[in-house]
PDB file of all heavy atoms in Angstrom:
ATOM      1  N   GLN A   1     -59.730  35.853  31.358  1.00 95.00           N
ATOM      2  CA  GLN A   1     -60.859  35.191  30.706  1.00 95.00           C
ATOM      3  C   GLN A   1     -60.597  34.883  29.288  1.00 95.00           C
ATOM      4  O   GLN A   1     -59.645  35.367  28.579  1.00 95.00           O
ATOM      5  CB  GLN A   1     -62.138  36.179  30.653  1.00 95.00           C
ATOM      6  CG  GLN A   1     -62.580  36.584  32.084  1.00 95.00           C
ATOM      7  CD  GLN A   1     -63.927  37.275  32.068  1.00 95.00           C
ATOM      8  OE1 GLN A   1     -64.690  37.135  31.069  1.00 95.00           O
ATOM      9  NE2 GLN A   1     -64.240  37.891  33.161  1.00 95.00           N
ATOM     10  N   GLU A   2     -61.277  33.921  28.745  1.00 95.00           N
ATOM     11  CA  GLU A   2     -61.126  33.469  27.343  1.00 95.00           C
ATOM     12  C   GLU A   2     -61.739  34.520  26.333  1.00 95.00           C
ATOM     13  O   GLU A   2     -62.604  35.293  26.790  1.00 95.00           O
ATOM     14  CB  GLU A   2     -61.802  32.112  27.061  1.00 95.00           C
ATOM     15  CG  GLU A   2     -60.968  30.963  27.879  1.00 95.00           C
ATOM     16  CD  GLU A   2     -61.649  29.632  27.532  1.00 95.00           C
ATOM     17  OE1 GLU A   2     -62.674  29.628  26.687  1.00 95.00           O
ATOM     18  OE2 GLU A   2     -61.118  28.634  27.949  1.00 95.00           O
ATOM     19  N   ARG A   3     -61.159  34.602  25.292  1.00 96.00           N
ATOM     20  CA  ARG A   3     -61.746  35.499  24.185  1.00 96.00           C
ATOM     21  C   ARG A   3     -63.067  34.996  23.816  1.00 96.00           C
ATOM     22  O   ARG A   3     -63.345  33.741  23.639  1.00 96.00           O
ATOM     23  CB  ARG A   3     -60.806  35.448  22.977  1.00 96.00           C
ATOM     24  CG  ARG A   3     -61.168  36.319  21.824  1.00 96.00           C
ATOM     25  CD  ARG A   3     -60.057  36.468  20.834  1.00 96.00           C
ATOM     26  NE  ARG A   3     -59.638  35.132  20.403  1.00 96.00           N
ATOM     27  CZ  ARG A   3     -58.586  34.902  19.595  1.00 96.00           C
ATOM     28  NH1 ARG A   3     -57.769  35.933  19.303  1.00 96.00           N
ATOM     29  NH2 ARG A   3     -58.307  33.668  19.338  1.00 96.00           N
ATOM     30  N   GLU A   4     -63.924  35.893  23.608  1.00 96.00           N
ATOM     31  CA  GLU A   4     -65.385  35.508  23.227  1.00 96.00           C
ATOM     32  C   GLU A   4     -65.830  36.359  22.014  1.00 96.00           C
ATOM     33  O   GLU A   4     -65.485  37.499  21.844  1.00 96.00           O
ATOM     34  CB  GLU A   4     -66.275  35.697  24.368  1.00 96.00           C
ATOM     35  CG  GLU A   4     -66.576  37.170  24.901  1.00 96.00           C
ATOM     36  CD  GLU A   4     -67.578  37.203  25.995  1.00 96.00           C
ATOM     37  OE1 GLU A   4     -68.282  36.226  26.234  1.00 96.00           O
ATOM     38  OE2 GLU A   4     -67.648  38.393  26.524  1.00 96.00           O
ATOM     39  N   GLY A   5     -66.518  35.737  21.086  1.00 97.00           N
ATOM     40  CA  GLY A   5     -67.053  36.410  19.974  1.00 97.00           C
ATOM     41  C   GLY A   5     -68.311  36.986  20.290  1.00 97.00           C
ATOM     42  O   GLY A   5     -69.277  36.404  20.816  1.00 97.00           O
ATOM     43  N   ILE A   6     -68.413  38.360  20.132  1.00 97.00           N
ATOM     44  CA  ILE A   6     -69.588  38.938  20.610  1.00 97.00           C
ATOM     45  C   ILE A   6     -70.499  39.436  19.416  1.00 97.00           C
ATOM     46  O   ILE A   6     -71.681  39.668  19.661  1.00 97.00           O
ATOM     47  CB  ILE A   6     -69.173  40.343  21.396  1.00 97.00           C
ATOM     48  CG1 ILE A   6     -68.241  41.193  20.732  1.00 97.00           C
ATOM     49  CG2 ILE A   6     -68.542  39.817  22.754  1.00 97.00           C
ATOM     50  CD1 ILE A   6     -68.040  42.562  21.348  1.00 97.00           C
ATOM     51  N   SER A   7     -69.943  39.571  18.154  1.00 97.00           N
ATOM     52  CA  SER A   7     -70.808  39.978  17.172  1.00 97.00           C
ATOM     53  C   SER A   7     -70.143  39.696  15.799  1.00 97.00           C
ATOM     54  O   SER A   7     -68.906  39.497  15.710  1.00 97.00           O
ATOM     55  CB  SER A   7     -71.056  41.557  17.213  1.00 97.00           C
ATOM     56  OG  SER A   7     -71.831  41.935  16.165  1.00 97.00           O
ATOM     57  N   CYS A   8     -70.989  39.615  14.778  1.00 97.00           N
ATOM     58  CA  CYS A   8     -70.327  39.389  13.474  1.00 97.00           C
ATOM     59  C   CYS A   8     -71.420  39.980  12.419  1.00 97.00           C
ATOM     60  O   CYS A   8     -72.587  39.961  12.728  1.00 97.00           O
ATOM     61  CB  CYS A   8     -70.139  37.851  13.223  1.00 97.00           C
ATOM     62  SG  CYS A   8     -71.508  36.788  13.327  1.00 97.00           S
ATOM     63  N   ILE A   9     -70.807  40.154  11.173  1.00 96.00           N
ATOM     64  CA  ILE A   9     -71.658  40.460  10.109  1.00 96.00           C
ATOM     65  C   ILE A   9     -71.130  39.770   8.881  1.00 96.00           C
ATOM     66  O   ILE A   9     -70.021  39.643   8.634  1.00 96.00           O
ATOM     67  CB  ILE A   9     -71.564  42.046   9.820  1.00 96.00           C
ATOM     68  CG1 ILE A   9     -72.599  42.428   8.685  1.00 96.00           C
ATOM     69  CG2 ILE A   9     -70.189  42.559   9.532  1.00 96.00           C
ATOM     70  CD1 ILE A   9     -72.826  43.970   8.535  1.00 96.00           C
ATOM     71  N   SER A  10     -72.055  38.996   8.219  1.00 95.00           N
ATOM     72  CA  SER A  10     -71.698  38.108   7.086  1.00 95.00           C
ATOM     73  C   SER A  10     -71.280  38.986   5.968  1.00 95.00           C
ATOM     74  O   SER A  10     -71.566  40.196   5.774  1.00 95.00           O
ATOM     75  CB  SER A  10     -72.748  37.159   6.804  1.00 95.00           C
ATOM     76  OG  SER A  10     -73.911  37.737   6.266  1.00 95.00           O
ATOM     77  N   ALA A  11     -70.738  38.253   4.955  1.00 94.00           N
ATOM     78  CA  ALA A  11     -70.542  38.920   3.626  1.00 94.00           C
ATOM     79  C   ALA A  11     -71.800  39.387   3.015  1.00 94.00           C
ATOM     80  O   ALA A  11     -72.758  38.874   3.333  1.00 94.00           O
ATOM     81  CB  ALA A  11     -69.806  37.952   2.661  1.00 94.00           C
ATOM     82  N   VAL A  12     -71.681  40.369   2.125  1.00 93.00           N
ATOM     83  CA  VAL A  12     -72.873  40.819   1.442  1.00 93.00           C
ATOM     84  C   VAL A  12     -73.616  39.907   0.768  1.00 93.00           C
ATOM     85  O   VAL A  12     -74.757  39.788   0.716  1.00 93.00           O
ATOM     86  CB  VAL A  12     -72.533  42.127   0.511  1.00 93.00           C
ATOM     87  CG1 VAL A  12     -73.666  42.641  -0.327  1.00 93.00           C
ATOM     88  CG2 VAL A  12     -72.028  43.274   1.459  1.00 93.00           C
ATOM     89  N   ARG A  13     -72.867  38.992   0.025  1.00 93.00           N
ATOM     90  CA  ARG A  13     -73.516  37.966  -0.749  1.00 93.00           C
ATOM     91  C   ARG A  13     -74.283  37.048   0.195  1.00 93.00           C
ATOM     92  O   ARG A  13     -75.123  36.209  -0.283  1.00 93.00           O
ATOM     93  CB  ARG A  13     -72.355  37.104  -1.516  1.00 93.00           C
ATOM     94  CG  ARG A  13     -71.430  36.314  -0.590  1.00 93.00           C
ATOM     95  CD  ARG A  13     -70.496  35.569  -1.544  1.00 93.00           C
ATOM     96  NE  ARG A  13     -69.632  34.738  -0.668  1.00 93.00           N
ATOM     97  CZ  ARG A  13     -68.595  35.131  -0.122  1.00 93.00           C
ATOM     98  NH1 ARG A  13     -68.102  36.396  -0.283  1.00 93.00           N
ATOM     99  NH2 ARG A  13     -67.754  34.370   0.569  1.00 93.00           N
ATOM    100  N   ASP A  14     -73.881  36.916   1.440  1.00 92.00           N
ATOM    101  CA  ASP A  14     -74.728  36.177   2.393  1.00 92.00           C
ATOM    102  C   ASP A  14     -75.675  36.879   3.230  1.00 92.00           C
ATOM    103  O   ASP A  14     -76.012  36.491   4.273  1.00 92.00           O
ATOM    104  CB  ASP A  14     -73.699  35.433   3.441  1.00 92.00           C
ATOM    105  CG  ASP A  14     -72.897  34.330   2.645  1.00 92.00           C
ATOM    106  OD1 ASP A  14     -73.332  33.364   2.198  1.00 92.00           O
ATOM    107  OD2 ASP A  14     -71.616  34.581   2.584  1.00 92.00           O
ATOM    108  N   GLY A  15     -75.968  38.124   2.678  1.00 93.00           N
ATOM    109  CA  GLY A  15     -77.092  38.929   3.241  1.00 93.00           C
ATOM    110  C   GLY A  15     -76.650  39.841   4.266  1.00 93.00           C
ATOM    111  O   GLY A  15     -77.622  40.444   4.989  1.00 93.00           O
ATOM    112  N   SER A  16     -75.409  39.981   4.564  1.00 94.00           N
ATOM    113  CA  SER A  16     -74.900  40.951   5.666  1.00 94.00           C
ATOM    114  C   SER A  16     -75.767  40.567   6.992  1.00 94.00           C
ATOM    115  O   SER A  16     -76.124  41.508   7.754  1.00 94.00           O
ATOM    116  CB  SER A  16     -75.211  42.441   5.230  1.00 94.00           C
ATOM    117  OG  SER A  16     -74.315  42.739   4.253  1.00 94.00           O
ATOM    118  N   THR A  17     -75.845  39.240   7.212  1.00 95.00           N
ATOM    119  CA  THR A  17     -76.608  38.854   8.403  1.00 95.00           C
ATOM    120  C   THR A  17     -75.668  39.132   9.636  1.00 95.00           C
ATOM    121  O   THR A  17     -74.426  38.901   9.513  1.00 95.00           O
ATOM    122  CB  THR A  17     -76.809  37.359   8.231  1.00 95.00           C
ATOM    123  OG1 THR A  17     -77.483  37.073   7.073  1.00 95.00           O
ATOM    124  CG2 THR A  17     -77.582  36.839   9.457  1.00 95.00           C
ATOM    125  N   THR A  18     -76.330  39.638  10.647  1.00 96.00           N
ATOM    126  CA  THR A  18     -75.621  39.881  11.903  1.00 96.00           C
ATOM    127  C   THR A  18     -75.847  38.870  13.025  1.00 96.00           C
ATOM    128  O   THR A  18     -76.985  38.257  12.918  1.00 96.00           O
ATOM    129  CB  THR A  18     -75.981  41.338  12.361  1.00 96.00           C
ATOM    130  OG1 THR A  18     -77.378  41.401  12.592  1.00 96.00           O
ATOM    131  CG2 THR A  18     -75.610  42.343  11.311  1.00 96.00           C
ATOM    132  N   GLY A  19     -75.035  38.817  13.925  1.00 96.00           N
ATOM    133  CA  GLY A  19     -75.184  37.875  15.076  1.00 96.00           C
ATOM    134  C   GLY A  19     -74.557  38.490  16.169  1.00 96.00           C
ATOM    135  O   GLY A  19     -73.585  39.285  16.145  1.00 96.00           O
ATOM    136  N   TYR A  20     -75.140  38.139  17.428  1.00 97.00           N
ATOM    137  CA  TYR A  20     -74.609  38.721  18.657  1.00 97.00           C
ATOM    138  C   TYR A  20     -74.716  37.674  19.814  1.00 97.00           C
ATOM    139  O   TYR A  20     -75.556  36.953  19.821  1.00 97.00           O
ATOM    140  CB  TYR A  20     -75.527  39.957  19.097  1.00 97.00           C
ATOM    141  CG  TYR A  20     -75.636  40.979  18.107  1.00 97.00           C
ATOM    142  CD1 TYR A  20     -76.615  41.051  17.216  1.00 97.00           C
ATOM    143  CD2 TYR A  20     -74.683  42.117  18.092  1.00 97.00           C
ATOM    144  CE1 TYR A  20     -76.699  42.114  16.172  1.00 97.00           C
ATOM    145  CE2 TYR A  20     -74.709  43.149  17.238  1.00 97.00           C
ATOM    146  CZ  TYR A  20     -75.729  43.109  16.310  1.00 97.00           C
ATOM    147  OH  TYR A  20     -75.762  44.072  15.308  1.00 97.00           O
ATOM    148  N   ILE A  21     -73.788  37.807  20.733  1.00 96.00           N
ATOM    149  CA  ILE A  21     -73.850  37.028  21.872  1.00 96.00           C
ATOM    150  C   ILE A  21     -74.922  37.576  22.706  1.00 96.00           C
ATOM    151  O   ILE A  21     -75.324  38.755  22.658  1.00 96.00           O
ATOM    152  CB  ILE A  21     -72.472  37.010  22.635  1.00 96.00           C
ATOM    153  CG1 ILE A  21     -72.292  36.042  23.625  1.00 96.00           C
ATOM    154  CG2 ILE A  21     -72.248  38.445  23.228  1.00 96.00           C
ATOM    155  CD1 ILE A  21     -70.938  35.924  24.297  1.00 96.00           C
ATOM    156  N   ASP A  22     -75.627  36.712  23.607  1.00 97.00           N
ATOM    157  CA  ASP A  22     -76.740  37.168  24.317  1.00 97.00           C
ATOM    158  C   ASP A  22     -76.492  38.369  25.190  1.00 97.00           C
ATOM    159  O   ASP A  22     -77.333  39.313  25.415  1.00 97.00           O
ATOM    160  CB  ASP A  22     -77.288  36.036  25.131  1.00 97.00           C
ATOM    161  CG  ASP A  22     -78.056  34.952  24.314  1.00 97.00           C
ATOM    162  OD1 ASP A  22     -78.320  35.205  23.120  1.00 97.00           O
ATOM    163  OD2 ASP A  22     -78.198  33.842  24.800  1.00 97.00           O
ATOM    164  N   SER A  23     -75.305  38.461  25.731  1.00 97.00           N
ATOM    165  CA  SER A  23     -75.006  39.471  26.845  1.00 97.00           C
ATOM    166  C   SER A  23     -74.923  40.874  26.253  1.00 97.00           C
ATOM    167  O   SER A  23     -75.030  41.819  26.797  1.00 97.00           O
ATOM    168  CB  SER A  23     -73.675  39.208  27.463  1.00 97.00           C
ATOM    169  OG  SER A  23     -72.627  39.095  26.552  1.00 97.00           O
ATOM    170  N   VAL A  24     -74.928  41.001  24.834  1.00 98.00           N
ATOM    171  CA  VAL A  24     -74.867  42.338  24.147  1.00 98.00           C
ATOM    172  C   VAL A  24     -76.102  42.551  23.378  1.00 98.00           C
ATOM    173  O   VAL A  24     -76.178  43.751  22.808  1.00 98.00           O
ATOM    174  CB  VAL A  24     -73.461  42.523  23.344  1.00 98.00           C
ATOM    175  CG1 VAL A  24     -72.353  42.154  24.327  1.00 98.00           C
ATOM    176  CG2 VAL A  24     -73.519  41.804  22.113  1.00 98.00           C
ATOM    177  N   LYS A  25     -76.855  41.643  23.135  1.00 97.00           N
ATOM    178  CA  LYS A  25     -78.099  41.786  22.305  1.00 97.00           C
ATOM    179  C   LYS A  25     -78.893  42.977  22.794  1.00 97.00           C
ATOM    180  O   LYS A  25     -79.229  43.212  23.990  1.00 97.00           O
ATOM    181  CB  LYS A  25     -79.021  40.596  22.227  1.00 97.00           C
ATOM    182  CG  LYS A  25     -78.468  39.528  21.335  1.00 97.00           C
ATOM    183  CD  LYS A  25     -79.320  38.237  21.393  1.00 97.00           C
ATOM    184  CE  LYS A  25     -78.779  37.182  20.375  1.00 97.00           C
ATOM    185  NZ  LYS A  25     -79.639  35.934  20.447  1.00 97.00           N
ATOM    186  N   GLY A  26     -79.397  43.865  21.857  1.00 97.00           N
ATOM    187  CA  GLY A  26     -80.074  44.972  22.242  1.00 97.00           C
ATOM    188  C   GLY A  26     -79.347  46.172  22.693  1.00 97.00           C
ATOM    189  O   GLY A  26     -79.724  47.343  22.827  1.00 97.00           O
ATOM    190  N   ARG A  27     -78.102  45.996  22.955  1.00 98.00           N
ATOM    191  CA  ARG A  27     -77.174  47.091  23.336  1.00 98.00           C
ATOM    192  C   ARG A  27     -76.108  47.462  22.211  1.00 98.00           C
ATOM    193  O   ARG A  27     -75.673  48.588  22.133  1.00 98.00           O
ATOM    194  CB  ARG A  27     -76.516  46.790  24.577  1.00 98.00           C
ATOM    195  CG  ARG A  27     -77.351  46.455  25.804  1.00 98.00           C
ATOM    196  CD  ARG A  27     -76.685  46.384  27.039  1.00 98.00           C
ATOM    197  NE  ARG A  27     -75.619  45.248  27.139  1.00 98.00           N
ATOM    198  CZ  ARG A  27     -74.301  45.374  27.356  1.00 98.00           C
ATOM    199  NH1 ARG A  27     -73.784  46.557  27.620  1.00 98.00           N
ATOM    200  NH2 ARG A  27     -73.595  44.338  27.379  1.00 98.00           N
ATOM    201  N   PHE A  28     -75.591  46.418  21.606  1.00 98.00           N
ATOM    202  CA  PHE A  28     -74.499  46.656  20.523  1.00 98.00           C
ATOM    203  C   PHE A  28     -75.203  46.472  19.153  1.00 98.00           C
ATOM    204  O   PHE A  28     -75.997  45.591  19.010  1.00 98.00           O
ATOM    205  CB  PHE A  28     -73.545  45.487  20.840  1.00 98.00           C
ATOM    206  CG  PHE A  28     -72.541  45.720  21.921  1.00 98.00           C
ATOM    207  CD1 PHE A  28     -72.924  46.639  23.069  1.00 98.00           C
ATOM    208  CD2 PHE A  28     -71.407  45.039  22.137  1.00 98.00           C
ATOM    209  CE1 PHE A  28     -72.111  46.858  24.215  1.00 98.00           C
ATOM    210  CE2 PHE A  28     -70.602  45.149  23.290  1.00 98.00           C
ATOM    211  CZ  PHE A  28     -70.990  46.062  24.318  1.00 98.00           C
ATOM    212  N   ALA A  29     -74.514  47.057  18.273  1.00 98.00           N
ATOM    213  CA  ALA A  29     -75.042  46.936  16.811  1.00 98.00           C
ATOM    214  C   ALA A  29     -73.743  47.062  15.961  1.00 98.00           C
ATOM    215  O   ALA A  29     -72.918  47.888  16.049  1.00 98.00           O
ATOM    216  CB  ALA A  29     -75.942  48.018  16.434  1.00 98.00           C
TER     217      ALA A  29
END
């Protein structure tokens, strides 16, 4: 399979905003 991005956390100056792929939302942090 292709590599997929599952989560990220932005720089502190950008608010440490987090993001998740739908398949892991609510399970991964």
